[in-house]
Amino acid sequence: MSTIFASLAVASQTTKLGTETSSDYGPGFLGFLFTAVMVVAVIFLIRDMARRVRRVRYTSEAESKQQDMVAKGESRTLQEPEGPADPKTDEAQ
């Protein structure tokens, strides 16, 4: 058992354990900068993905409502105006 302690004492004296400075290890500023850029990129990607998923969901809901209306036999006819309309008075000319 004493040989283990003796070898640890010799190893600690030769490797100088506990004398490291903060600049001896760690990613440093470059690692922080890379991580920050990755976080910002992921935030923008998640926002874009949520927007696209929402758009797909609304499109599928509109299509299903349209298919339901067709199945029920309802039809909406678009009434086109007879002439140009004045946007200031909302009257047909």
Side-chain angles (χ1 to χ4, degrees):
M1 185 68 94
S2 64
T3 57
I4 294 173
F5 289 125
S7 64
L8 284 176
V10 170
S12 67
Q13 289 176 356
T14 59
T15 59
K16 297 181 183 176
L17 292 176
T19 61
E20 297 91 10
T21 62
S22 63
S23 63
D24 289 342
Y25 57 92
F29 180 72
L30 187 61
F32 168 75
L33 188 64
F34 179 75
T35 303
V37 167
M38 292 301 291
V39 167
V40 170
V42 166
I43 288 171
F44 280 114
L45 285 172
I46 288 173
R47 288 182 62 207
D48 184 56
M49 181 190 65
R51 186 178 302 126
R52 289 175 189 267
V53 167
R54 191 178 316 123
R55 189 179 313 152
V56 167
R57 187 181 323 134
Y58 290 153
T59 304
S60 66
E61 287 177 7
E63 288 175 356
S64 68
K65 286 181 183 179
Q66 185 178 13
Q67 288 174 356
D68 290 343
M69 287 176 56
V70 169
K72 290 179 183 178
E74 297 178 12
S75 63
R76 293 184 183 177
T77 58
L78 295 175
Q79 298 176 356
E80 296 195 20
E82 296 171 2
D86 185 12
K88 293 179 182 176
T89 60
D90 290 334
E91 296 177 359
Q93 296 180 353

